[in-house]
Amino acid sequence: MAFYQRILVASWGIFLLTMAISLSAVHFAPGSDESADKRIVARLVQQVARDLSAGLAEDPDNAVEALLTRQNLSLAPLLEIYVIDPAGDDVLARALPRRIAEVYTGKRQHSSPMLHVDSPDLRGYTIIGDDQFFPLAQVLVRPGGRTFMLAVGLAVSALISILLARFIVLPVRRIREAGRRVADGDLSVRVAHTVGNRSDDIASLARDFDRMTEQVEGLLQDQQRLMRDVSHELRSPLARLLALISIARQRAAADDAPASTEQLDRMERELDRVDELISSILAFAQLDHADALHRQPIDLVDLLENVVDDASLEAHAEGKEVQLLAGSEPLVMPLDGAIASAFENVVRNAVRHTAPDSRVEVSIARTDAGVTVTVDDQGPGVPPEAITQLFAPFFRVEEGRGTRSGSGGLGLAIAERCMRLHGGAIAAVNRPEGGLRVTMSLPRAAEAASAG
Amino acid sequence: MSDPSERTLAVLPDLPVTQEIKVLLVDDDAEFAQLVDEYLGAEGGFAVTARGDGEAGARSALTGEYDVILLDVGLPKQNGFSVLKLIREQIDTPVIMLTARGDDLDRILGLEIGADDYLAKPCNLRELAARIRAIMRRTRGGGSSDVQAESGRAVIGDLTVEAGSRSVYRDGELIALTGAEYLVLDALLAQAGEVVDKGAIAKHALGRRLQPYDRSVDVHVGHLRKKLGPLSDGRQRIKTVRGRGYLYVVLS
């Protein structure tokens, strides 16, 4: 069944149910006989009866006509007052509804005896009020009737809406939730099984969603496989090239040719760079979703100690320093080993950009939420418009910071991805006193990143 | 980095290697193997045999006629780790794993299974030759240390070390250690109760200088901690001394 049919049925359902409930309320509501509108109706009938009997007493021949000029006998849809002459016909020649005829012939009691006047004063005339046309109308004119209708309408539509929601909104929400998870990089989500054995638009939406996700997953896997394969394949020629350079160097040394040695050194450095780029591409590709993390207890203080030690070695060559400000007690968290390269990349980046003879400061702080590691350099900082793009793959800040050497421009992207997969975050800000501050935060709770 | 332990740790004899070092290279890139052969041949003192896949590599390795095995991780059919496992089940020939740069998991796994050292490929062949020599110095030189020099048997706390067979017992129970792990422990025990810096440990256990971003010593220490367990009072047996190195705790 398609949506629009469902919705149509539902709105008809609301309408009919409201009617039915209101009608039965009129019929079965306690005190409806004694209710105000019944009394009004009875008064009208009594009035007609009094008028007629007075008229008949005064001028029997013209009594009916006089009555008709003074009283309105048809108050549809509220009330019809039948004035039946001794011959058994209505004075307005209206056909008697069956139940009225039956009351007239005495086959049944009028449901409101007050509306049946058959007194001797009427000289053979009988007056029967019929208030049964359309009870809904009575409901509407009753004091509080509209409120009652409104309440019933609301209750019924609420009920139907809940049913509709269960049918439409819930599955749609599930699909939306799945969409969110897909956006967070979990392409293994499937929703078709959640809609059961339905065969409507929602079910086809779910199936289409699954097909789409499967396709995208396949494409992405192909892409990542391609990237990995390409990177791996590149390594073999690279290894041969480096071996060839080693041989050339061996020969140059034997021939005592320092000039070519210098060329060879430069070649080797370039090859090194290509190799580093390949490994960072592979590292980046491996960090594709939180399931890929192998968490193990890692002491952050110890890890940063190592990173800072290593970075110091590199920094000393340029007269720069790296300092770690951390307490001595260990800080063990369940992390993936890749976190080391995240910190390493950020620290090395800071060392690269900090001014000669200046210092990079790395500090660890425990917060309520977890742990924050900050890396401050004393470099030129980053233009404000570039700050947000700093963690994009291969992003280079052109002005102020010359083209970056070394890291192939994936270092900070790897750091960002790694923090995100651990449920943490990374941000950069220019310090007022100059230089860049990179803040990395890791949540205390070792919850999977896909949860947030 | 100064090396304060040089005085106490036996300086490894830099013996001129007289015999030819027999190298088995297991690598699927025949061209690369050819180049390694060419380079080491020109260096002199090496004889290289190359095998292109894991099975053939394992078969040759198990003949026991090689001094050192260079094992590429990314082998077809049977990867380097399973070959290493096969080799380690039977013989102790030193193994250098050729891993990809930045693949720390591979390195740690290799060291765990019992590789003696690793080298990132693509590598500079001069570095490769240096590594092979370092390992040979270590094994042929017998890794002579003070502990061993004094007697064939040393007892430190609940540990008993038999230098001759390079075996370690805890409370009489044999603890299986790889060659590198044994030497790391050896370096620590030689100065039990004192801080030994990582550079000195690397020199003693790996026969080479520690390079930046090189975690091998830390990995070996981690494995030793796991294999040896805590001390009888529940404390960590090998303490990390931040920024300085490691220390083997002696119960007073």
Side-chain angles (χ1 to χ4, degrees):
Chain A
M1 214 162 139
F3 263 164
Y4 82 94
Q5 288 168 317
R6 258 184 221 282
I7 290 167
L8 198 70
V9 168
S11 45
W12 271 101
I14 291 176
F15 180 65
L16 291 172
L17 258 171
T18 307
M19 290 253 298
I21 292 176
S22 308
L23 280 175
S24 50
V26 172
H27 266 294
F28 304 112
S32 66
D33 263 13
E34 303 302 317
S35 58
D37 56 313
K38 284 280 186 207
R39 281 201 302 276
I40 295 167
V41 171
R43 245 205 318 265
L44 286 172
V45 174
Q46 299 295 337
Q47 206 180 341
V48 170
R50 274 198 303 276
D51 198 328
L52 182 58
S53 52
L56 286 167
E58 237 169 74
D59 178 3
D61 291 342
N62 293 318
V64 172
E65 260 155 79
L67 175 78
L68 290 179
T69 55
R70 277 197 300 271
Q71 301 287 351
N72 190 355
L73 298 186
S74 177
L75 299 168
L78 256 187
L79 177 68
E80 290 284 345
I81 304 174
Y82 296 97
V83 178
I84 303 166
D85 63 16
D89 295 317
D90 174 46
V91 294
L92 287 179
R94 287 170 297 187
L96 296 186
R98 218 178 77 202
R99 58 181 176 279
I100 299 301
E102 285 174 348
V103 168
Y104 180 66
T105 54
K107 264 192 195 159
R108 62 187 272 177
Q109 272 283 311
H110 196 294
S111 58
S112 329
M114 293 288 290
L115 303 189
H116 183 193
V117 187
D118 184 13
S119 65
D121 295 352
L122 292 177
R123 309 188 180 188
Y125 282 90
T126 307
I127 295 173
I128 303 175
D130 182 13
D131 59 349
Q132 302 265 341
F133 285 94
F134 192 50
L136 204 57
Q138 296 177 12
V139 175
L140 287 175
V141 295
R142 267 159 93 179
R146 286 193 184 79
T147 322
F148 175 72
M149 278 289 284
L150 197 66
V152 169
L154 272 177
V156 170
S157 19
L159 189 77
I160 304 244
S161 306
I162 287 171
L163 290 173
L164 265 182
R166 290 198 52 132
F167 247 143
I168 298 173
V169 180
L170 275 184
V172 167
R173 260 197 211 145
R174 276 203 207 99
I175 295 174
R176 242 186 55 202
E177 179 58 33
R180 274 234 326 271
R181 281 173 54 193
V182 169
D184 286 344
D186 179 6
L187 285 164
S188 61
V189 184
R190 296 288 178 272
V191 289
H193 63 276
T194 63
V195 297
N197 45 10
R198 297 166 56 153
S199 57
D200 55 15
D201 305 72
I202 293 238
S204 19
L205 174 62
R207 277 194 300 275
D208 289 346
F209 177 93
D210 284 2
R211 244 211 316 277
M212 174 187 82
T213 316
E214 223 159 286
Q215 283 281 349
V216 172
E217 187 177 29
L219 282 173
L220 268 181
Q221 278 172 349
D222 287 352
Q223 265 229 319
Q224 264 162 358
R225 202 173 308 124
L226 183 68
M227 194 147 92
R228 271 197 289 268
D229 290 351
V230 166
S231 307
H232 276 305
E233 289 307 311
L234 282 174
R235 279 212 148 115
S236 301
L238 216 56
R240 287 177 224 145
L241 268 175
L242 203 48
L244 282 165
I245 289 178
S246 302
I247 291 171
R249 196 195 289 279
Q250 200 178 35
R251 301 243 168 95
D255 304 343
D256 198 22
S260 52
T261 308
E262 195 189 324
Q263 301 293 330
L264 292 168
D265 284 351
R266 286 171 61 183
M267 281 187 207
E268 210 169 291
R269 270 203 300 278
E270 289 306 322
L271 277 182
D272 239 18
R273 255 178 223 175
V274 175
D275 185 37
E276 203 167 311
L277 180 57
I278 288 173
S279 46
S280 61
I281 288 175
L282 285 169
F284 191 62
Q286 250 155 20
L287 286 170
D288 49 1
H289 51 82
D291 302 347
L293 295 185
H294 303 281
R295 287 176 185 264
Q296 53 196 9
I298 287 181
D299 176 4
L300 262 189
V301 178
D302 183 44
L303 186 147
L304 282 165
E305 187 84 46
N306 281 325
V307 169
V308 166
D309 274 355
D310 289 337
S312 295
L313 283 182
E314 287 187 17
H316 280 315
E318 302 168 59
K320 299 170 178 176
E321 263 195 66
V322 187
Q323 214 184 29
L324 178 65
L325 311 168
S328 55
E329 62 186 270
L331 212 165
V332 180
M333 296 174 82
L335 302 167
D336 182 286
I339 207 92
S341 60
F343 291 127
E344 214 165 84
N345 290 333
V346 174
V347 172
R348 287 174 91 174
N349 189 59
V351 169
R352 203 170 303 130
H353 296 296
T354 198
D357 305 320
S358 73
R359 202 169 56 195
V360 169
E361 280 182 3
V362 182
S363 55
I364 310 177
R366 291 171 171 78
T367 61
D368 293 340
V371 177
T372 304
V373 176
T374 48
V375 178
D376 293 348
D377 68 33
Q378 294 176 2
V382 171
E385 66 275 9
I387 276 234
T388 49
Q389 296 168 275
L390 203 57
F391 301 104
F394 301 113
F395 178 73
R396 279 206 170 96
V397 180
E398 293 299 348
E399 55 209 297
R401 299 188 154 202
T403 49
R404 299 169 31 173
S405 54
S407 139
L410 271 173
L412 293 181
I414 288 173
E416 190 271 340
R417 220 179 235 200
C418 197
M419 292 296 152
R420 196 155 37 87
L421 290 189
H422 279 88
I426 187 167
V429 61
N430 285 312
R431 297 192 302 156
E433 60 269 50
L436 190 73
R437 159 172 290 186
V438 176
T439 309
M440 289 163 278
S441 50
L442 287 165
R444 185 177 302 281
E447 60 208 20
S450 59
Chain B
M1 278 210 317
S2 69
D3 192 343
S5 56
E6 292 253 34
R7 285 168 284 103
T8 40
L9 265 185
V11 181
L12 296 171
D14 209 345
L15 300 169
V17 180
T18 44
Q19 328 145 249
E20 211 171 44
I21 299 174
K22 292 197 183 65
V23 181
L24 174 67
L25 171 60
V26 188
D27 193 315
D28 57 322
D29 186 342
E31 211 174 319
F32 175 74
Q34 173 64 43
L35 293 168
V36 171
D37 186 20
E38 197 178 322
Y39 184 91
L40 293 180
E43 264 319 89
F46 295 94
V48 181
T49 309
R51 291 284 176 266
D53 68 83
E55 282 166 41
R59 263 202 311 277
S60 305
L62 292 176
T63 59
E65 57 190 66
Y66 296 99
D67 299 313
V68 64
I69 299 165
L70 305 179
L71 194 48
D72 188 43
V73 172
L75 289 171
K77 286 192 282 191
Q78 203 179 17
N79 76 18
F81 299 123
S82 48
V83 176
L84 179 61
K85 261 196 198 112
L86 272 175
I87 295 174
R88 274 291 167 267
E89 277 164 11
Q90 301 188 38
I91 53 172
D92 280 343
T93 311
V95 172
I96 301 177
M97 295 293 277
L98 300 177
T99 60
R101 183 206 296 247
D103 218 329
D104 295 339
L105 277 179
D106 279 4
R107 292 174 183 184
I108 291 169
L109 191 56
L111 294 175
E112 200 145 319
I113 297 172
D116 295 76
D117 203 355
Y118 60 78
L119 185 60
K121 192 184 149 186
C123 55
N124 170 326
L125 298 187
R126 198 174 26 177
E127 177 67 18
L128 180 69
R131 289 286 174 104
I132 296 173
R133 288 201 185 100
I135 288 225
M136 290 318 296
R137 265 205 305 277
R138 219 182 66 191
T139 49
R140 281 191 186 163
S144 59
S145 72
D146 289 2
V147 174
Q148 205 185 324
E150 281 163 28
S151 71
R153 212 183 161 92
V155 179
I156 296 111
D158 53 359
L159 289 191
T160 307
V161 181
E162 282 184 3
S165 59
R166 291 197 165 189
S167 36
V168 177
Y169 299 87
R170 189 195 54 218
D171 298 327
E173 181 196 348
L174 178 68
I175 307 286
L177 298 181
T178 67
E181 284 162 6
Y182 172 83
L183 287 168
V184 169
L185 183 63
D186 191 40
L188 289 169
L189 292 179
Q191 299 176 81
E194 293 172 44
V195 181
V196 187
D197 93 71
K198 282 186 201 174
I201 297 173
K203 209 165 191 154
H204 182 72
L206 308 172
R208 60 180 175 83
R209 285 184 47 203
L210 203 58
Q211 297 178 314
Y213 307 104
D214 184 346
R215 294 275 157 266
S216 21
V217 171
D218 310 280
V219 170
H220 289 311
V221 168
H223 291 162
L224 278 173
R225 281 175 179 161
K226 232 182 285 179
K227 287 181 178 180
L228 299 173
L231 291 165
S232 54
D233 65 354
R235 275 190 305 162
Q236 186 64 267
R237 194 177 283 273
I238 300 170
K239 223 171 94 177
T240 308
V241 183
R242 288 201 199 297
R244 294 181 54 204
Y246 292 104
L247 171 153
Y248 189 90
V249 179
V250 183
L251 291 176
S252 44

